[in-house]
Amino acid sequence: GSRSRSRPASGAMYAPSAWAATPGTVERTPRAPGLGAAFVPLSATAVADAIFDEIRLSGTETRPPELTDRHLEVLASIFDEKHLGNALELVQSGKVKRLVAHRSRRWCFQVRGRTVNETYLCYPDAFCSCRAFQWDVISRGEKVACKHQLAVKLATAVNVVCDSEVTDLLMAQLLEAYARGGGEKKQNK
């Protein structure tokens, strides 16, 4: 029979307690027996990144990448269903954009919020200018990523990110404005 496991608030996944999993990791068996340690710890973000890579690689030149029920189940176990649903809604409504500086080719993502005037600067593996990132991810450590970071990872995996070229000066001004604002950046469009 299958044993149900509760998911900790940090978004980490645990192996059954008999495996003595380290908090924040998922345990798996090695590929070949007798190679040292019985289990190799994987972080929840490493599992999620492997799923995003699998989604991305499922596409071909003639077929777009496919997000399957299995992918959604694994991602929901890491990020929680409501959080994943909110991120999917952002992707489906076309609110994820990659800004690319013309000369330097530096880039960042911009994710529109609930209103037209709310936009968030986002680096999917490191930062989002939203308050949820500062509070839930950094301060309290209750989430692995905010919904904007998750939306960027999903949109990138299924290849639905729209690129928008900006001047290097505008990119620098955006980064400075977000850094000064310390949170969400409201812009008039």
Side-chain angles (χ1 to χ4, degrees), residues 112-188:
R112 282 184 292 156
R114 291 184 187 154
T115 69
V116 176
N117 292 333
E118 291 177 319
T119 57
Y120 303 98
L121 176 79
C122 186
Y123 288 93
D125 293 320
F127 174 79
C128 184
S129 61
C130 74
R131 288 197 171 114
F133 175 78
Q134 294 172 16
W135 184 248
D136 295 333
V137 178
I138 299 298
S139 296
R140 295 191 321 199
E142 291 183 358
K143 295 203 184 297
V144 176
C146 70
K147 70 180 177 184
H148 308 105
Q149 291 175 297
L150 183 52
V152 167
K153 287 183 176 241
L154 286 164
T156 303
V158 295
N159 199 25
V160 294
V161 175
C162 178
D163 281 356
S164 182
E165 194 166 276
V166 297
T167 66
D168 284 73
L169 178 60
L170 180 58
M171 178 68 81
Q173 290 170 337
L174 278 172
L175 293 171
E176 182 181 357
Y178 280 106
R180 249 187 294 124
E184 67 186 54
K185 175 64 182 161
K186 300 201 183 225
Q187 297 177 327
N188 295 324

Side-chain angles (χ1 to χ4, degrees), residues 14 21 26 46 58 65 68 72 75 77 80 95 102 114 121 140 143 156 173:
Y14 287 95
V26 178
S58 71
T68 67
L72 292 171
L75 293 173
S77 72
D80 110 35
K95 293 187 175 187
H102 175 70
R114 291 184 187 154
L121 176 79
R140 295 191 321 199
K143 295 203 184 297
T156 303
Q173 290 170 337

Side-chain angles (χ1 to χ4, degrees), residues 10-107:
S10 69
M13 294 171 47
Y14 287 95
S17 59
W19 291 357
T22 305
T25 64
V26 178
E27 302 283 340
R28 68 175 170 85
T29 56
R31 292 175 195 222
L35 294 179
F39 303 102
V40 179
L42 291 176
S43 71
T45 52
V47 173
D49 287 344
I51 293 295
F52 293 127
D53 287 343
E54 185 177 300
I55 295 165
R56 193 175 4 269
L57 295 172
S58 71
T60 65
E61 286 185 28
T62 58
R63 186 174 42 89
E66 185 180 1
L67 183 61
T68 67
D69 288 344
R70 186 184 69 78
H71 295 139
L72 292 171
E73 286 173 19
V74 173
L75 293 173
S77 72
I78 295 169
F79 298 105
D80 110 35
E81 273 186 61
K82 183 179 179 206
H83 198 55
L84 180 61
N86 289 336
L88 283 167
E89 190 177 305
L90 291 171
V91 173
Q92 291 167 340
S93 58
K95 293 187 175 187
V96 178
K97 179 172 34 174
R98 181 177 21 235
L99 302 177
V100 182
H102 175 70
R103 187 177 44 77
S104 68
R105 306 312 296 166
R106 289 190 172 103
W107 55 267

